Each structure stands twice: as C-alpha cells, then as structure tokens.
Amino acid sequence: MSFLSVDIQDKTYPNECVAIQQLKFSAPKGEFIAIVGPSGAGKSTLLNVIAGLDPQFAGTIRFGSSELAQSGAKLGFLFQECRLMPWLSVRQNLQLVVKHTRPTPHTKTIDEWLQCVGLQGCGELFPAQLSGGMQRRVALLRAFIVNPDVLLMDEPFQSLDAPTAAQLRRLLHELWQNSAPTVLFVTHNLREAISVASRILFLSSRPSKVILEYPLTRLAPLDIESDDVAAEHKKILETYPNLLAGLHLD
C-alpha cells in the first residue's frame, strides 16, 4: 500500500484558469521525490493542495487508507521564503513548533537541534541578524523538529549562492536520513533534482499532470557539479529533448 497517494482530477481557480488536471502519483514511506516542470506549471499549487492550504479541488489526497486531512499525519512545509517571525529570536521561532510536538525519550532540546546544524550559540539572535543560509538552516530545523511524515519543499534553495545551497542539500539529507519522511522537493533546476532525489516527477505545462516518472539509481546527495550529475542530466535531455518545456511524450 502506498504511503502517500495523490489524485488531483481538477484544480481550477475562480477566474477559470485550469492549473492541474488528471495529476496522479504515489510514494512509499521515506521516498525522496523531486518535482520538475516549466514555470507556471502549478508546482507550488500542487504542494498547497497536498498540504491542505488550498482545499478547492476535485480529487483525493490519501495517507495510507485515509484522507490525508483526517489521517493524523504530520506535515512539514519549507516555502521559497524562510517565513521566520522577525520579532522572535531563533529559539522562540523553534519553540512555536516544539510546543506542538509530543516529547519522546529521544527528543532533542532546541540547543541540541541548533548544534546539529552548526548554529550553536545562535538561539538568542533574531532572523535579521542571520545570513540567508543561516535562516535556511533554522527553517529546515523548524520543518524537521515536528518529525513530519511528509515534508513538502517549494524551491527552498533557489535564492542562495552555490556553496551555501550545496551545504544545505547535504544537511537536508542528513536530517532526512535520521527521520525518513516522504519528501516532495519542487525545483526548476534539473541538476538539483538529480543530485537530491531517488525519483523525479516531470510535470507538463498547464494544466499540469505527470508526464514522466524517472527513477534514479545513484545514491544522493551528489555534488550538483559532479560528473555523475552531468552524465544523468545529459542522458535525460538527450532521451526526452522537450521534457523541460513540459511537452507531452505521447
């Protein structure tokens, strides 16, 4: 049985813009999936629907045998912006989610979490006092502290310089391997998708649907500039030359 099943028959906005139609996929527990598609294909809309932030659609989102909204599953969401509360310290931002997390014998303190991502001693700083990369680390922690069953990530590293993004991709995988949520990672960068995921879902142009599911056999994370990533990138585009334009394969 699939851990997460997505079946969006139709997502149409009130202005009659059809964003998604006949989009289906499923994922087992702990899979790391990248989602790639052309600009405007509805990638962010897809995540919002799955998260329950946009309930106006025809279809079903299931977690195991139940509707996701009624399943009790925990979701984490990392947006394109960090969305930290600027008037709260790092510690206070993290406490917002900690208070909704049931403690276990293995629960880390906030200081232990900060040490895990190299931010020891930064708990009393405010977001404006952190670099962009440091803010991203806090946002990653906030997503993982709740021990999510499903983690949604909407182009989380797009605004960062290459070295910082590479560090955060490695950190993401370290956190993911410890708790193994099912990850849906939206990116416009095919090389990034290849470097982080075990499977890539390619979306068509609007109205979007899945036009190719592409499994990756190499272990992630990989250096985005590595020869392995370059070879896989070349193979995909030579085999499916119009894929990134969101054109149907049939």
Side-chain angles (χ1 to χ4, degrees):
M1 181 175 62
S2 297
F3 184 71
L4 176 67
S5 297
V6 175
D7 182 357
I8 302 175
Q9 296 296 310
D10 181 84
K11 168 57 192 174
T12 300
Y13 287 105
N15 64 358
E16 300 186 355
C17 173
V18 183
I20 300 172
Q21 275 190 336
Q22 305 298 321
L23 191 156
K24 299 180 182 181
F25 69 90
S26 60
K29 179 176 175 58
E31 187 176 16
F32 199 121
I33 297 174
I35 299 173
V36 176
S39 179
K43 300 183 292 295
S44 296
T45 299
L46 170 61
L47 294 191
N48 288 335
V49 167
I50 294 172
L53 299 178
D54 187 347
Q56 303 302 314
F57 74 101
T60 57
I61 312 295
R62 302 187 73 83
F63 181 85
S65 59
S66 305
E67 294 277 350
L68 184 59
Q70 284 80 47
S71 68
K74 293 182 181 179
L75 270 69
F77 205 140
L78 197 62
F79 298 91
Q80 293 180 15
E81 308 84 23
C82 290
R83 300 196 180 184
L84 301 175
M85 302 298 182
W87 57 89
L88 298 179
S89 68
V90 168
R91 184 181 306 279
Q92 290 168 330
N93 268 280
L94 296 177
Q95 285 172 336
L96 289 176
V97 294
V98 167
K99 67 182 182 181
H100 298 294
T101 303
R102 181 176 297 176
T104 73
H106 303 290
T107 298
K108 292 183 176 67
T109 66
I110 287 179
D111 287 324
E112 288 172 333
W113 276 111
L114 290 171
Q115 186 169 5
C116 285
V117 298
L119 290 178
Q120 57 270 25
C122 295
E124 310 314 317
L125 298 179
F126 288 86
Q129 297 174 300
L130 305 177
S131 68
M134 294 168 76
Q135 290 182 33
R136 279 288 161 196
R137 291 177 185 227
V138 177
L140 267 176
L141 276 186
R142 186 176 59 185
F144 274 96
I145 279 176
V146 300
N147 194 25
D149 299 297
V150 179
L151 177 59
L152 310 175
M153 308 186 73
D154 190 3
E155 299 191 65
F157 308 138
Q158 67 167 352
S159 60
L160 300 174
D161 61 84
T164 300
Q167 290 175 355
L168 285 170
R169 282 190 288 270
R170 289 192 293 270
L171 175 59
L172 166 61
H173 263 267
E174 289 174 8
L175 293 170
W176 170 70
Q177 287 168 348
N178 287 334
S179 56
T182 297
V183 176
L184 303 181
F185 183 98
V186 164
T187 178
H188 68 280
N189 186 333
L190 179 54
R191 288 178 181 268
E192 181 174 56
I194 294 167
S195 74
V196 298
S198 57
R199 179 164 53 122
I200 305 175
L201 302 182
F202 290 93
L203 303 187
S204 70
S205 52
R206 182 178 290 179
S208 65
K209 65 179 182 179
V210 177
I211 55 175
L212 180 67
E213 297 191 26
Y214 191 90
L216 295 160
T217 57
R218 296 184 177 90
L219 294 177
L222 298 173
D223 184 340
I224 200 171
E225 301 297 337
S226 71
D227 291 342
D228 284 343
V229 170
E232 197 73 61
H233 184 272
K234 180 180 179 182
K235 176 184 174 182
I236 292 172
L237 295 187
E238 286 182 347
T239 306
Y240 309 102
N242 297 315
L243 191 58
L244 294 186
L247 299 181
H248 295 286
L249 302 178
D250 50 14

mmCIF file with all atom_site columns, all heavy atoms in Angstrom, residues 81-103:
data_model
loop_
_atom_site.group_PDB
_atom_site.id
_atom_site.type_symbol
_atom_site.label_atom_id
_atom_site.label_alt_id
_atom_site.label_comp_id
_atom_site.label_asym_id
_atom_site.label_entity_id
_atom_site.label_seq_id
_atom_site.pdbx_PDB_ins_code
_atom_site.Cartn_x
_atom_site.Cartn_y
_atom_site.Cartn_z
_atom_site.occupancy
_atom_site.B_iso_or_equiv
_atom_site.pdbx_formal_charge
_atom_site.auth_seq_id
_atom_site.auth_comp_id
_atom_site.auth_asym_id
_atom_site.auth_atom_id
_atom_site.pdbx_PDB_model_num
ATOM 1   N N   . GLU A 1 81  ? 10.347 31.269 0.678  1.00 0.00 ? 81  GLU A N   1
ATOM 2   C CA  . GLU A 1 81  ? 10.886 32.205 1.665  1.00 0.00 ? 81  GLU A CA  1
ATOM 3   C C   . GLU A 1 81  ? 10.938 31.494 3.019  1.00 0.00 ? 81  GLU A C   1
ATOM 4   O O   . GLU A 1 81  ? 10.151 30.600 3.279  1.00 0.00 ? 81  GLU A O   1
ATOM 5   C CB  . GLU A 1 81  ? 9.999  33.449 1.783  1.00 0.00 ? 81  GLU A CB  1
ATOM 6   C CG  . GLU A 1 81  ? 9.688  34.137 0.468  1.00 0.00 ? 81  GLU A CG  1
ATOM 7   C CD  . GLU A 1 81  ? 8.520  33.504 -0.262 1.00 0.00 ? 81  GLU A CD  1
ATOM 8   O OE1 . GLU A 1 81  ? 7.691  32.846 0.400  1.00 0.00 ? 81  GLU A OE1 1
ATOM 9   O OE2 . GLU A 1 81  ? 8.446  33.647 -1.490 1.00 0.00 ? 81  GLU A OE2 1
ATOM 10  N N   . CYS A 1 82  ? 11.844 31.932 3.880  1.00 0.00 ? 82  CYS A N   1
ATOM 11  C CA  . CYS A 1 82  ? 12.010 31.244 5.171  1.00 0.00 ? 82  CYS A CA  1
ATOM 12  C C   . CYS A 1 82  ? 10.791 31.383 6.076  1.00 0.00 ? 82  CYS A C   1
ATOM 13  O O   . CYS A 1 82  ? 10.487 30.485 6.866  1.00 0.00 ? 82  CYS A O   1
ATOM 14  C CB  . CYS A 1 82  ? 13.233 31.790 5.892  1.00 0.00 ? 82  CYS A CB  1
ATOM 15  S SG  . CYS A 1 82  ? 14.788 31.326 5.120  1.00 0.00 ? 82  CYS A SG  1
ATOM 16  N N   . ARG A 1 83  ? 10.118 32.529 6.011  1.00 0.00 ? 83  ARG A N   1
ATOM 17  C CA  . ARG A 1 83  ? 8.915  32.789 6.800  1.00 0.00 ? 83  ARG A CA  1
ATOM 18  C C   . ARG A 1 83  ? 9.149  32.633 8.295  1.00 0.00 ? 83  ARG A C   1
ATOM 19  O O   . ARG A 1 83  ? 8.299  32.131 9.024  1.00 0.00 ? 83  ARG A O   1
ATOM 20  C CB  . ARG A 1 83  ? 7.755  31.908 6.340  1.00 0.00 ? 83  ARG A CB  1
ATOM 21  C CG  . ARG A 1 83  ? 7.384  32.127 4.884  1.00 0.00 ? 83  ARG A CG  1
ATOM 22  C CD  . ARG A 1 83  ? 6.027  31.563 4.538  1.00 0.00 ? 83  ARG A CD  1
ATOM 23  N NE  . ARG A 1 83  ? 5.730  31.794 3.123  1.00 0.00 ? 83  ARG A NE  1
ATOM 24  C CZ  . ARG A 1 83  ? 4.585  31.478 2.535  1.00 0.00 ? 83  ARG A CZ  1
ATOM 25  N NH1 . ARG A 1 83  ? 3.619  30.930 3.241  1.00 0.00 ? 83  ARG A NH1 1
ATOM 26  N NH2 . ARG A 1 83  ? 4.383  31.718 1.253  1.00 0.00 ? 83  ARG A NH2 1
ATOM 27  N N   . LEU A 1 84  ? 10.321 33.066 8.757  1.00 0.00 ? 84  LEU A N   1
ATOM 28  C CA  . LEU A 1 84  ? 10.569 33.140 10.193 1.00 0.00 ? 84  LEU A CA  1
ATOM 29  C C   . LEU A 1 84  ? 9.902  34.401 10.736 1.00 0.00 ? 84  LEU A C   1
ATOM 30  O O   . LEU A 1 84  ? 9.819  35.423 10.048 1.00 0.00 ? 84  LEU A O   1
ATOM 31  C CB  . LEU A 1 84  ? 12.070 33.181 10.475 1.00 0.00 ? 84  LEU A CB  1
ATOM 32  C CG  . LEU A 1 84  ? 12.887 31.988 9.971  1.00 0.00 ? 84  LEU A CG  1
ATOM 33  C CD1 . LEU A 1 84  ? 14.368 32.240 10.212 1.00 0.00 ? 84  LEU A CD1 1
ATOM 34  C CD2 . LEU A 1 84  ? 12.440 30.688 10.627 1.00 0.00 ? 84  LEU A CD2 1
ATOM 35  N N   . MET A 1 85  ? 9.441  34.336 11.976 1.00 0.00 ? 85  MET A N   1
ATOM 36  C CA  . MET A 1 85  ? 8.843  35.512 12.603 1.00 0.00 ? 85  MET A CA  1
ATOM 37  C C   . MET A 1 85  ? 9.959  36.487 12.969 1.00 0.00 ? 85  MET A C   1
ATOM 38  O O   . MET A 1 85  ? 10.791 36.183 13.836 1.00 0.00 ? 85  MET A O   1
ATOM 39  C CB  . MET A 1 85  ? 8.070  35.106 13.862 1.00 0.00 ? 85  MET A CB  1
ATOM 40  C CG  . MET A 1 85  ? 6.967  34.088 13.611 1.00 0.00 ? 85  MET A CG  1
ATOM 41  S SD  . MET A 1 85  ? 5.692  34.711 12.500 1.00 0.00 ? 85  MET A SD  1
ATOM 42  C CE  . MET A 1 85  ? 4.572  33.316 12.493 1.00 0.00 ? 85  MET A CE  1
ATOM 43  N N   . PRO A 1 86  ? 10.015 37.667 12.328 1.00 0.00 ? 86  PRO A N   1
ATOM 44  C CA  . PRO A 1 86  ? 11.175 38.547 12.524 1.00 0.00 ? 86  PRO A CA  1
ATOM 45  C C   . PRO A 1 86  ? 11.273 39.129 13.928 1.00 0.00 ? 86  PRO A C   1
ATOM 46  O O   . PRO A 1 86  ? 12.359 39.543 14.344 1.00 0.00 ? 86  PRO A O   1
ATOM 47  C CB  . PRO A 1 86  ? 10.959 39.653 11.476 1.00 0.00 ? 86  PRO A CB  1
ATOM 48  C CG  . PRO A 1 86  ? 9.495  39.636 11.203 1.00 0.00 ? 86  PRO A CG  1
ATOM 49  C CD  . PRO A 1 86  ? 9.058  38.215 11.351 1.00 0.00 ? 86  PRO A CD  1
ATOM 50  N N   . TRP A 1 87  ? 10.154 39.180 14.661 1.00 0.00 ? 87  TRP A N   1
ATOM 51  C CA  . TRP A 1 87  ? 10.164 39.759 16.007 1.00 0.00 ? 87  TRP A CA  1
ATOM 52  C C   . TRP A 1 87  ? 10.503 38.726 17.082 1.00 0.00 ? 87  TRP A C   1
ATOM 53  O O   . TRP A 1 87  ? 10.573 39.056 18.257 1.00 0.00 ? 87  TRP A O   1
ATOM 54  C CB  . TRP A 1 87  ? 8.816  40.397 16.317 1.00 0.00 ? 87  TRP A CB  1
ATOM 55  C CG  . TRP A 1 87  ? 7.653  39.441 16.207 1.00 0.00 ? 87  TRP A CG  1
ATOM 56  C CD1 . TRP A 1 87  ? 7.156  38.646 17.191 1.00 0.00 ? 87  TRP A CD1 1
ATOM 57  C CD2 . TRP A 1 87  ? 6.871  39.183 15.044 1.00 0.00 ? 87  TRP A CD2 1
ATOM 58  N NE1 . TRP A 1 87  ? 6.107  37.899 16.735 1.00 0.00 ? 87  TRP A NE1 1
ATOM 59  C CE2 . TRP A 1 87  ? 5.907  38.208 15.404 1.00 0.00 ? 87  TRP A CE2 1
ATOM 60  C CE3 . TRP A 1 87  ? 6.883  39.662 13.734 1.00 0.00 ? 87  TRP A CE3 1
ATOM 61  C CZ2 . TRP A 1 87  ? 4.963  37.712 14.501 1.00 0.00 ? 87  TRP A CZ2 1
ATOM 62  C CZ3 . TRP A 1 87  ? 5.949  39.180 12.836 1.00 0.00 ? 87  TRP A CZ3 1
ATOM 63  C CH2 . TRP A 1 87  ? 5.007  38.220 13.217 1.00 0.00 ? 87  TRP A CH2 1
ATOM 64  N N   . LEU A 1 88  ? 10.693 37.465 16.657 1.00 0.00 ? 88  LEU A N   1
ATOM 65  C CA  . LEU A 1 88  ? 11.045 36.406 17.585 1.00 0.00 ? 88  LEU A CA  1
ATOM 66  C C   . LEU A 1 88  ? 12.490 35.966 17.358 1.00 0.00 ? 88  LEU A C   1
ATOM 67  O O   . LEU A 1 88  ? 12.985 35.988 16.235 1.00 0.00 ? 88  LEU A O   1
ATOM 68  C CB  . LEU A 1 88  ? 10.124 35.194 17.407 1.00 0.00 ? 88  LEU A CB  1
ATOM 69  C CG  . LEU A 1 88  ? 8.633  35.403 17.662 1.00 0.00 ? 88  LEU A CG  1
ATOM 70  C CD1 . LEU A 1 88  ? 7.875  34.103 17.418 1.00 0.00 ? 88  LEU A CD1 1
ATOM 71  C CD2 . LEU A 1 88  ? 8.380  35.925 19.071 1.00 0.00 ? 88  LEU A CD2 1
ATOM 72  N N   . SER A 1 89  ? 13.149 35.544 18.417 1.00 0.00 ? 89  SER A N   1
ATOM 73  C CA  . SER A 1 89  ? 14.500 35.012 18.292 1.00 0.00 ? 89  SER A CA  1
ATOM 74  C C   . SER A 1 89  ? 14.457 33.655 17.612 1.00 0.00 ? 89  SER A C   1
ATOM 75  O O   . SER A 1 89  ? 13.387 33.051 17.426 1.00 0.00 ? 89  SER A O   1
ATOM 76  C CB  . SER A 1 89  ? 15.143 34.874 19.675 1.00 0.00 ? 89  SER A CB  1
ATOM 77  O OG  . SER A 1 89  ? 14.493 33.857 20.421 1.00 0.00 ? 89  SER A OG  1
ATOM 78  N N   . VAL A 1 90  ? 15.631 33.146 17.251 1.00 0.00 ? 90  VAL A N   1
ATOM 79  C CA  . VAL A 1 90  ? 15.717 31.802 16.673 1.00 0.00 ? 90  VAL A CA  1
ATOM 80  C C   . VAL A 1 90  ? 15.077 30.791 17.609 1.00 0.00 ? 90  VAL A C   1
ATOM 81  O O   . VAL A 1 90  ? 14.268 29.942 17.199 1.00 0.00 ? 90  VAL A O   1
ATOM 82  C CB  . VAL A 1 90  ? 17.186 31.433 16.389 1.00 0.00 ? 90  VAL A CB  1
ATOM 83  C CG1 . VAL A 1 90  ? 17.320 29.943 16.080 1.00 0.00 ? 90  VAL A CG1 1
ATOM 84  C CG2 . VAL A 1 90  ? 17.734 32.270 15.239 1.00 0.00 ? 90  VAL A CG2 1
ATOM 85  N N   . ARG A 1 91  ? 15.412 30.860 18.886 1.00 0.00 ? 91  ARG A N   1
ATOM 86  C CA  . ARG A 1 91  ? 14.866 29.928 19.873 1.00 0.00 ? 91  ARG A CA  1
ATOM 87  C C   . ARG A 1 91  ? 13.338 30.026 19.923 1.00 0.00 ? 91  ARG A C   1
ATOM 88  O O   . ARG A 1 91  ? 12.629 29.013 19.939 1.00 0.00 ? 91  ARG A O   1
ATOM 89  C CB  . ARG A 1 91  ? 15.456 30.213 21.251 1.00 0.00 ? 91  ARG A CB  1
ATOM 90  C CG  . ARG A 1 91  ? 15.020 29.219 22.327 1.00 0.00 ? 91  ARG A CG  1
ATOM 91  C CD  . ARG A 1 91  ? 15.631 29.584 23.685 1.00 0.00 ? 91  ARG A CD  1
ATOM 92  N NE  . ARG A 1 91  ? 17.076 29.699 23.592 1.00 0.00 ? 91  ARG A NE  1
ATOM 93  C CZ  . ARG A 1 91  ? 17.909 28.651 23.609 1.00 0.00 ? 91  ARG A CZ  1
ATOM 94  N NH1 . ARG A 1 91  ? 17.432 27.428 23.719 1.00 0.00 ? 91  ARG A NH1 1
ATOM 95  N NH2 . ARG A 1 91  ? 19.209 28.842 23.533 1.00 0.00 ? 91  ARG A NH2 1
ATOM 96  N N   . GLN A 1 92  ? 12.825 31.245 19.926 1.00 0.00 ? 92  GLN A N   1
ATOM 97  C CA  . GLN A 1 92  ? 11.374 31.426 20.009 1.00 0.00 ? 92  GLN A CA  1
ATOM 98  C C   . GLN A 1 92  ? 10.677 30.945 18.748 1.00 0.00 ? 92  GLN A C   1
ATOM 99  O O   . GLN A 1 92  ? 9.570  30.391 18.818 1.00 0.00 ? 92  GLN A O   1
ATOM 100 C CB  . GLN A 1 92  ? 11.066 32.908 20.270 1.00 0.00 ? 92  GLN A CB  1
ATOM 101 C CG  . GLN A 1 92  ? 11.468 33.376 21.665 1.00 0.00 ? 92  GLN A CG  1
ATOM 102 C CD  . GLN A 1 92  ? 11.435 34.884 21.806 1.00 0.00 ? 92  GLN A CD  1
ATOM 103 O OE1 . GLN A 1 92  ? 11.647 35.629 20.846 1.00 0.00 ? 92  GLN A OE1 1
ATOM 104 N NE2 . GLN A 1 92  ? 11.165 35.351 23.024 1.00 0.00 ? 92  GLN A NE2 1
ATOM 105 N N   . ASN A 1 93  ? 11.303 31.136 17.583 1.00 0.00 ? 93  ASN A N   1
ATOM 106 C CA  . ASN A 1 93  ? 10.734 30.614 16.340 1.00 0.00 ? 93  ASN A CA  1
ATOM 107 C C   . ASN A 1 93  ? 10.608 29.095 16.394 1.00 0.00 ? 93  ASN A C   1
ATOM 108 O O   . ASN A 1 93  ? 9.608  28.523 15.951 1.00 0.00 ? 93  ASN A O   1
ATOM 109 C CB  . ASN A 1 93  ? 11.588 31.027 15.150 1.00 0.00 ? 93  ASN A CB  1
ATOM 110 C CG  . ASN A 1 93  ? 11.142 32.324 14.509 1.00 0.00 ? 93  ASN A CG  1
ATOM 111 O OD1 . ASN A 1 93  ? 10.195 32.356 13.736 1.00 0.00 ? 93  ASN A OD1 1
ATOM 112 N ND2 . ASN A 1 93  ? 11.841 33.409 14.837 1.00 0.00 ? 93  ASN A ND2 1
ATOM 113 N N   . LEU A 1 94  ? 11.619 28.443 16.937 1.00 0.00 ? 94  LEU A N   1
ATOM 114 C CA  . LEU A 1 94  ? 11.589 26.980 17.028 1.00 0.00 ? 94  LEU A CA  1
ATOM 115 C C   . LEU A 1 94  ? 10.626 26.504 18.111 1.00 0.00 ? 94  LEU A C   1
ATOM 116 O O   . LEU A 1 94  ? 9.986  25.462 17.974 1.00 0.00 ? 94  LEU A O   1
ATOM 117 C CB  . LEU A 1 94  ? 12.994 26.447 17.278 1.00 0.00 ? 94  LEU A CB  1
ATOM 118 C CG  . LEU A 1 94  ? 13.998 26.707 16.153 1.00 0.00 ? 94  LEU A CG  1
ATOM 119 C CD1 . LEU A 1 94  ? 15.379 26.189 16.542 1.00 0.00 ? 94  LEU A CD1 1
ATOM 120 C CD2 . LEU A 1 94  ? 13.553 26.066 14.844 1.00 0.00 ? 94  LEU A CD2 1
ATOM 121 N N   . GLN A 1 95  ? 10.506 27.288 19.180 1.00 0.00 ? 95  GLN A N   1
ATOM 122 C CA  . GLN A 1 95  ? 9.575  26.904 20.249 1.00 0.00 ? 95  GLN A CA  1
ATOM 123 C C   . GLN A 1 95  ? 8.133  26.899 19.773 1.00 0.00 ? 95  GLN A C   1
ATOM 124 O O   . GLN A 1 95  ? 7.298  26.170 20.319 1.00 0.00 ? 95  GLN A O   1
ATOM 125 C CB  . GLN A 1 95  ? 9.744  27.850 21.445 1.00 0.00 ? 95  GLN A CB  1
ATOM 126 C CG  . GLN A 1 95  ? 10.997 27.582 22.268 1.00 0.00 ? 95  GLN A CG  1
ATOM 127 C CD  . GLN A 1 95  ? 11.259 28.632 23.329 1.00 0.00 ? 95  GLN A CD  1
ATOM 128 O OE1 . GLN A 1 95  ? 10.806 29.774 23.214 1.00 0.00 ? 95  GLN A OE1 1
ATOM 129 N NE2 . GLN A 1 95  ? 12.006 28.257 24.360 1.00 0.00 ? 95  GLN A NE2 1
ATOM 130 N N   . LEU A 1 96  ? 7.829  27.677 18.741 1.00 0.00 ? 96  LEU A N   1
ATOM 131 C CA  . LEU A 1 96  ? 6.467  27.701 18.198 1.00 0.00 ? 96  LEU A CA  1
ATOM 132 C C   . LEU A 1 96  ? 6.032  26.317 17.735 1.00 0.00 ? 96  LEU A C   1
ATOM 133 O O   . LEU A 1 96  ? 4.858  25.950 17.853 1.00 0.00 ? 96  LEU A O   1
ATOM 134 C CB  . LEU A 1 96  ? 6.366  28.693 17.033 1.00 0.00 ? 96  LEU A CB  1
ATOM 135 C CG  . LEU A 1 96  ? 6.436  30.175 17.369 1.00 0.00 ? 96  LEU A CG  1
ATOM 136 C CD1 . LEU A 1 96  ? 6.421  31.002 16.094 1.00 0.00 ? 96  LEU A CD1 1
ATOM 137 C CD2 . LEU A 1 96  ? 5.274  30.583 18.276 1.00 0.00 ? 96  LEU A CD2 1
ATOM 138 N N   . VAL A 1 97  ? 6.981  25.542 17.178 1.00 0.00 ? 97  VAL A N   1
ATOM 139 C CA  . VAL A 1 97  ? 6.622  24.195 16.714 1.00 0.00 ? 97  VAL A CA  1
ATOM 140 C C   . VAL A 1 97  ? 6.912  23.135 17.769 1.00 0.00 ? 97  VAL A C   1
ATOM 141 O O   . VAL A 1 97  ? 6.223  22.113 17.829 1.00 0.00 ? 97  VAL A O   1
ATOM 142 C CB  . VAL A 1 97  ? 7.344  23.843 15.389 1.00 0.00 ? 97  VAL A CB  1
ATOM 143 C CG1 . VAL A 1 97  ? 6.855  24.733 14.275 1.00 0.00 ? 97  VAL A CG1 1
ATOM 144 C CG2 . VAL A 1 97  ? 8.851  23.918 15.531 1.00 0.00 ? 97  VAL A CG2 1
ATOM 145 N N   . VAL A 1 98  ? 7.898  23.370 18.613 1.00 0.00 ? 98  VAL A N   1
ATOM 146 C CA  . VAL A 1 98  ? 8.227  22.391 19.656 1.00 0.00 ? 98  VAL A CA  1
ATOM 147 C C   . VAL A 1 98  ? 7.034  22.158 20.572 1.00 0.00 ? 98  VAL A C   1
ATOM 148 O O   . VAL A 1 98  ? 6.752  21.020 20.983 1.00 0.00 ? 98  VAL A O   1
ATOM 149 C CB  . VAL A 1 98  ? 9.452  22.860 20.476 1.00 0.00 ? 98  VAL A CB  1
ATOM 150 C CG1 . VAL A 1 98  ? 9.605  22.018 21.742 1.00 0.00 ? 98  VAL A CG1 1
ATOM 151 C CG2 . VAL A 1 98  ? 10.712 22.768 19.639 1.00 0.00 ? 98  VAL A CG2 1
ATOM 152 N N   . LYS A 1 99  ? 6.289  23.195 20.887 1.00 0.00 ? 99  LYS A N   1
ATOM 153 C CA  . LYS A 1 99  ? 5.172  23.047 21.828 1.00 0.00 ? 99  LYS A CA  1
ATOM 154 C C   . LYS A 1 99  ? 4.045  22.200 21.263 1.00 0.00 ? 99  LYS A C   1
ATOM 155 O O   . LYS A 1 99  ? 3.165  21.753 22.004 1.00 0.00 ? 99  LYS A O   1
ATOM 156 C CB  . LYS A 1 99  ? 4.655  24.417 22.259 1.00 0.00 ? 99  LYS A CB  1
ATOM 157 C CG  . LYS A 1 99  ? 3.985  25.237 21.155 1.00 0.00 ? 99  LYS A CG  1
ATOM 158 C CD  . LYS A 1 99  ? 3.563  26.591 21.698 1.00 0.00 ? 99  LYS A CD  1
ATOM 159 C CE  . LYS A 1 99  ? 2.854  27.440 20.648 1.00 0.00 ? 99  LYS A CE  1
ATOM 160 N NZ  . LYS A 1 99  ? 2.471  28.767 21.180 1.00 0.00 ? 99  LYS A NZ  1
ATOM 161 N N   . HIS A 1 100 ? 4.062  21.965 19.938 1.00 0.00 ? 100 HIS A N   1
ATOM 162 C CA  . HIS A 1 100 ? 3.053  21.105 19.323 1.00 0.00 ? 100 HIS A CA  1
ATOM 163 C C   . HIS A 1 100 ? 3.592  19.704 19.044 1.00 0.00 ? 100 HIS A C   1
ATOM 164 O O   . HIS A 1 100 ? 2.942  18.918 18.351 1.00 0.00 ? 100 HIS A O   1
ATOM 165 C CB  . HIS A 1 100 ? 2.555  21.730 18.025 1.00 0.00 ? 100 HIS A CB  1
ATOM 166 C CG  . HIS A 1 100 ? 1.878  23.058 18.217 1.00 0.00 ? 100 HIS A CG  1
ATOM 167 N ND1 . HIS A 1 100 ? 0.682  23.191 18.899 1.00 0.00 ? 100 HIS A ND1 1
ATOM 168 C CD2 . HIS A 1 100 ? 2.239  24.315 17.843 1.00 0.00 ? 100 HIS A CD2 1
ATOM 169 C CE1 . HIS A 1 100 ? 0.332  24.470 18.931 1.00 0.00 ? 100 HIS A CE1 1
ATOM 170 N NE2 . HIS A 1 100 ? 1.251  25.165 18.301 1.00 0.00 ? 100 HIS A NE2 1
ATOM 171 N N   . THR A 1 101 ? 4.775  19.401 19.554 1.00 0.00 ? 101 THR A N   1
ATOM 172 C CA  . THR A 1 101 ? 5.405  18.106 19.306 1.00 0.00 ? 101 THR A CA  1
ATOM 173 C C   . THR A 1 101 ? 5.434  17.295 20.595 1.00 0.00 ? 101 THR A C   1
ATOM 174 O O   . THR A 1 101 ? 5.902  17.772 21.628 1.00 0.00 ? 101 THR A O   1
ATOM 175 C CB  . THR A 1 101 ? 6.852  18.303 18.795 1.00 0.00 ? 101 THR A CB  1
ATOM 176 O OG1 . THR A 1 101 ? 6.822  19.115 17.623 1.00 0.00 ? 101 THR A OG1 1
ATOM 177 C CG2 . THR A 1 101 ? 7.491  16.964 18.460 1.00 0.00 ? 101 THR A CG2 1
ATOM 178 N N   . ARG A 1 102 ? 4.923  16.078 20.527 1.00 0.00 ? 102 ARG A N   1
ATOM 179 C CA  . ARG A 1 102 ? 4.907  15.215 21.715 1.00 0.00 ? 102 ARG A CA  1
ATOM 180 C C   . ARG A 1 102 ? 6.327  14.740 22.028 1.00 0.00 ? 102 ARG A C   1
ATOM 181 O O   . ARG A 1 102 ? 6.990  14.150 21.180 1.00 0.00 ? 102 ARG A O   1
ATOM 182 C CB  . ARG A 1 102 ? 3.998  14.014 21.478 1.00 0.00 ? 102 ARG A CB  1
ATOM 183 C CG  . ARG A 1 102 ? 3.900  13.069 22.684 1.00 0.00 ? 102 ARG A CG  1
ATOM 184 C CD  . ARG A 1 102 ? 2.915  11.949 22.409 1.00 0.00 ? 102 ARG A CD  1
ATOM 185 N NE  . ARG A 1 102 ? 1.579  12.487 22.221 1.00 0.00 ? 102 ARG A NE  1
ATOM 186 C CZ  . ARG A 1 102 ? 0.525  11.727 21.883 1.00 0.00 ? 102 ARG A CZ  1
ATOM 187 N NH1 . ARG A 1 102 ? 0.676  10.434 21.692 1.00 0.00 ? 102 ARG A NH1 1
ATOM 188 N NH2 . ARG A 1 102 ? -0.659 12.289 21.731 1.00 0.00 ? 102 ARG A NH2 1
ATOM 189 N N   . PRO A 1 103 ? 6.821  14.988 23.229 1.00 0.00 ? 103 PRO A N   1
ATOM 190 C CA  . PRO A 1 103 ? 8.195  14.584 23.562 1.00 0.00 ? 103 PRO A CA  1
ATOM 191 C C   . PRO A 1 103 ? 8.331  13.073 23.662 1.00 0.00 ? 103 PRO A C   1
ATOM 192 O O   . PRO A 1 103 ? 7.388  12.366 24.006 1.00 0.00 ? 103 PRO A O   1
ATOM 193 C CB  . PRO A 1 103 ? 8.442  15.261 24.912 1.00 0.00 ? 103 PRO A CB  1
ATOM 194 C CG  . PRO A 1 103 ? 7.082  15.456 25.500 1.00 0.00 ? 103 PRO A CG  1
ATOM 195 C CD  . PRO A 1 103 ? 6.155  15.692 24.340 1.00 0.00 ? 103 PRO A CD  1
#
